[in-house]
């Protein structure tokens, strides 16, 4: 919820476009203390507003954060299904939760939920997903594939390939995939994908693909504990990117790959996925819930299951694990 002071502050700036407004003028207009004004100015900066502050003159907004409204995403989107229905939210707990509700209510295939901020963004293995306002892409996509339940994890791999292709199309960066769902740039995580299901008696009702793509964060925007392991496109390339353009590109690539998958099966996707994979041929450690397997990553099976050959030559099939390179 936006506070009343913040709303009035933004109104004051829009009513006096390009003019400097002093802390005292703002405090008098809004009817609050100068300390409150200062606090809200700092909040706006954290949310991506650029404010110029000049002594004896005051503050002026020089740049507002880019939004990703449904209209902006739709402008130029040429997909048939994906993104034809877009639910845009300013702030939600998790786009996955919203998408689950919509999927349950029989929303159409390809429905997309996008939020500017998630207060309870979630990752794999019950982890939190840090999703601050206006900086990244926090999106969930509803698919309704007619495939057997055990094949559902393949969709995570398809989604990972789509994100890599979109990033390659719009940036000069070379992302790589770490099985099953992490997309890294220069060894740091730029995207995470969480695939969840609604099914009844072995029958898939919907697959919800959640993507968290770090786009415009600066290094200091990440909490200290993430700075060594996470990155954003802006950090890696040194420029800001349009989040709507990235969303459009991801949806376009995902739809193409999804159609190939439905028509020809997983094999063509597997070839693409392996060409982007960071770990194939390398020695890795797979930490599963029950043990740790160390060995050479041989590739994935036609079902998207990771194959590791340990030092004694035994082949292990990994369905769910954390991978250490
Ligand atoms: C992971 O790497 O652990 C997966 C992270 C997935 C994060 C995305 S952000 C959009 C969607 N909503 C969520 O709560 N999670 C996913």
């Amino acid at each position: 919820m936006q506070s009343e002071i913040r709303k009035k502050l933004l109104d004051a700036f829009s009513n006096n476009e390009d003019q400097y407004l002093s802390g005292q003028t703002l405090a008098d207009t809004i009817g609050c203390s100068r300390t409150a004004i200062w606090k809200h100015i700092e909040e706006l900066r954290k949310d991506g507003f650029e404010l110029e502050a000049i002594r004896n003159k005051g503050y002026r907004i020089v740049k507002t954060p880019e939004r990703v409204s449904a209209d902006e995403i739709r402008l130029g989107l040429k997909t048939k299904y994906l993104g034809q229905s877009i639910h845009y939210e300013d702030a939600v707990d998790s786009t996955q939760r919203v998408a689950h509700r919509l999927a349950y209510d029989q929303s159409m295939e390809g429905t997309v939920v996008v939020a500017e901020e998630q207060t309870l963004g979630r990752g794999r293995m019950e982890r939190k997903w840090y999703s601050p306002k206006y900086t990244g892409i926090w999106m969930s996509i509803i698919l309704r594939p007619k495939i057997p339940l055990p094949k559902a994890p393949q969709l995570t791999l398809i989604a990972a390939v789509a994100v890599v292709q979109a990033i390659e199309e719009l940036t000069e960066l070379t992302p790589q995939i770490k099985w099953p769902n992490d997309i890294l740039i220069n060894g740091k995580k730029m995207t995470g994908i969480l695939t969840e299901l609604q099914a009844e008696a072995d029958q898939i009702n919907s697959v919800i693909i959640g993507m968290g793509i770090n786009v415009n964060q600066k290094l200091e925007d990440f909490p200290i504990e993430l700075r060594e392991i996470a990155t954003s496109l802006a950090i890696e390339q040194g420029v800001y990117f349009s989040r709507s353009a990235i969303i459009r590109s991801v949806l376009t690539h995902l739809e193409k790959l999804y159609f190939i998958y439905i028509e020809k099966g997983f094999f063509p996707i597997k070839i693409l996925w392996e060409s982007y994979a960071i770990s194939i041929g390398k020695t890795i450690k797979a930490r599963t819930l029950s043990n740790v397997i160390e060995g050479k990553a041989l590739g994935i099976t036609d079902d998207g299951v990771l194959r590791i050959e340990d030092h004694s030559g035994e082949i292990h099939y990994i369905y769910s694990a954390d991978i250490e390179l």
Side-chain angles (χ1 to χ4, degrees):
M1 263 290 279
Q2 217 178 41
S3 84
E4 224 17 65
I5 297 183
R6 183 181 171 118
K7 267 196 213 135
K8 287 186 179 161
L9 188 58
L10 288 172
D11 283 347
F13 281 119
S14 8
N15 295 338
N16 297 279
E17 227 181 303
D18 286 338
Q19 282 181 45
Y20 290 91
L21 298 175
S22 72
Q24 192 58 58
T25 309
L26 287 165
D28 292 344
T29 318
I30 293 168
C32 64
S33 68
R34 281 176 63 175
T35 320
I37 295 293
W38 180 82
K39 197 184 115 218
H40 283 273
I41 296 265
E42 285 313 301
E43 288 289 317
L44 288 177
R45 284 200 168 114
K46 269 198 219 130
D47 287 347
F49 285 83
E50 274 178 39
L51 284 117
E52 192 181 13
I54 294 200
R55 242 185 139 184
N56 299 329
K57 272 178 125 181
Y59 301 98
R60 190 171 71 106
I61 292 185
V62 279
K63 197 165 167 267
T64 51
E66 182 229 7
R67 304 288 172 111
V68 282
S69 68
D71 290 341
E72 270 218 39
I73 298 169
R74 236 171 249 132
L75 209 68
L77 181 68
K78 297 203 178 70
T79 52
K80 208 161 165 209
Y81 300 109
L82 299 202
Q84 291 309 309
S85 163
I86 298 173
H87 285 253
Y88 169 84
E89 308 263 356
D90 192 49
V92 283
D93 44 6
S94 160
T95 56
Q96 288 296 94
R97 189 196 53 79
V98 177
H100 270 290
R101 182 177 47 76
L102 292 172
Y104 189 75
D105 291 345
Q106 299 310 320
S107 65
M108 63 191 267
E109 172 158 57
T111 298
V112 170
V113 181
V114 186
E116 295 288 6
E117 176 187 21
Q118 295 185 118
T119 48
L120 283 173
R122 47 177 211 260
R124 281 172 67 229
M125 305 193 169
E126 313 286 315
R127 292 188 188 121
K128 284 189 193 143
W129 183 261
Y130 180 64
S131 331
K133 216 163 193 156
Y134 306 132
T135 54
I137 294 171
W138 324 126
M139 142 167 111
S140 299
I141 304 161
I142 301 173
L143 296 179
R144 299 191 185 278
K146 294 193 173 37
I147 55 171
L149 199 56
K151 293 206 185 289
Q154 292 174 337
L155 290 160
T156 303
L157 308 182
I158 299 175
V161 173
V163 174
V164 170
Q165 291 181 336
I167 303 306
E168 283 193 334
E169 180 188 76
L170 298 175
T171 73
E172 289 155 20
L173 302 166
T174 313
Q176 287 184 298
I177 307 174
K178 190 175 107 176
W179 186 88
N181 68 346
D182 289 354
I183 300 176
L184 314 183
I185 298 184
N186 295 324
K188 289 180 163 187
K189 182 157 166 173
M190 184 267 298
T191 293
I193 299 171
L194 175 70
T195 306
E196 295 175 324
L197 283 178
Q198 284 182 11
E200 245 171 78
D202 283 3
Q203 201 63 32
I204 291 180
N205 170 30
S206 62
V207 175
I208 293 158
I209 302 178
M211 294 178 179
I213 308 178
N214 296 327
V215 181
N216 287 329
Q217 290 99 325
K218 296 185 251 79
L219 190 61
E220 57 271 27
D221 294 336
F222 285 105
I224 290 173
E225 66 278 14
L226 294 183
R227 288 186 196 165
E228 290 284 305
I229 52 171
T231 193
S232 74
L233 297 176
I235 293 172
E236 296 300 322
Q237 197 169 312
V239 291
Y240 290 111
F241 289 93
S242 152
R243 288 176 299 148
S244 329
I246 296 174
I247 293 175
R248 275 195 297 277
S249 180
V250 169
L251 295 177
T252 307
H253 285 286
L254 182 58
E255 183 166 285
K256 267 191 206 145
L257 293 163
Y258 184 55
F259 286 165
I260 294 176
Y261 171 68
I262 297 298
E263 207 181 300
K264 301 199 165 113
F266 186 63
F267 186 72
I269 312 289
K270 172 184 143 124
I271 305 289
L272 279 171
W273 188 92
E274 285 184 341
S275 73
Y276 294 125
I278 202 167
S279 43
I280 306 303
K282 294 209 182 115
T283 299
I284 61 167
K285 249 189 212 166
R287 227 172 258 286
T288 68
L289 279 181
S290 50
N291 62 354
V292 179
I293 295 153
E294 191 168 349
K296 189 167 148 191
L298 299 178
I300 49 172
T301 66
D302 288 351
D303 285 338
V305 177
L306 181 67
R307 288 192 313 132
I308 300 184
E309 182 178 3
D310 72 15
H311 304 301
S312 69
E314 191 186 339
I315 312 277
H316 299 260
Y317 292 85
I318 311 291
Y319 290 84
S320 173
D322 262 346
I323 303 297
E324 284 172 30
L325 300 170

